[in-house]
Structures are given as C-alpha cells and as structure tokens.
Amino acid sequence: MKIVSLVPSITEALFDLGLTENEVVGRTKFCIHPQDKIKNVAIIGGTKTLILIRSKPSSRTLSLPTKRKM
C-alpha cells in the first residue's frame, strides 16, 4: 500500500510504526520528522494546497487528510 500523509503527526507516527519511504510516498512541506526517513519522500505541497500531479497515482494509494477547522 502507498500512503500520502497530509498531517505531520501522522507522518511521524507512520514511521514510528515501522513504515518506510516505500510505503509513505508523499508528504506535505510541514511533515519534517523523522528527518532521516522523510528525505526521500516526495513533497506534494502544503496541508491545504496539494500538488497531486507529482504523486504517481495507483489503485492502492491511501491519503490521510486532516479535519478542517472552521
């Protein structure tokens, strides 16, 4: 499964759970931890402005969005 994480805390948790850059394939510019593991993960924009053309879509991609506060 390929995961695109849009929340910094979730990005960090995914790596803490043992996932690698082979599974976490996209992140926002705010997802900066763990520094040693995210360096090869593509940046797909910010939390509100995504550049999805950079990610390679597949039928098994999971995006983890954040709940928007009003």
Side-chain angles (χ1 to χ4, degrees), residues 23-66:
E23 290 93 19
V24 181
V25 296
R27 64 181 175 96
T28 70
K29 62 184 177 183
F30 303 106
C31 300
I32 58 172
H33 296 290
Q35 292 180 351
D36 59 324
K37 296 181 182 176
I38 59 138
K39 61 186 173 191
N40 294 324
V41 178
I43 296 174
I44 59 162
T47 56
K48 307 261 187 291
T49 308
L50 302 177
I51 306 168
L52 295 177
I53 192 113
R54 287 187 182 176
S55 65
K56 296 177 181 155
S58 83
S59 60
R60 295 174 39 182
T61 299
L62 171 65
S63 294
L64 301 172
T66 181

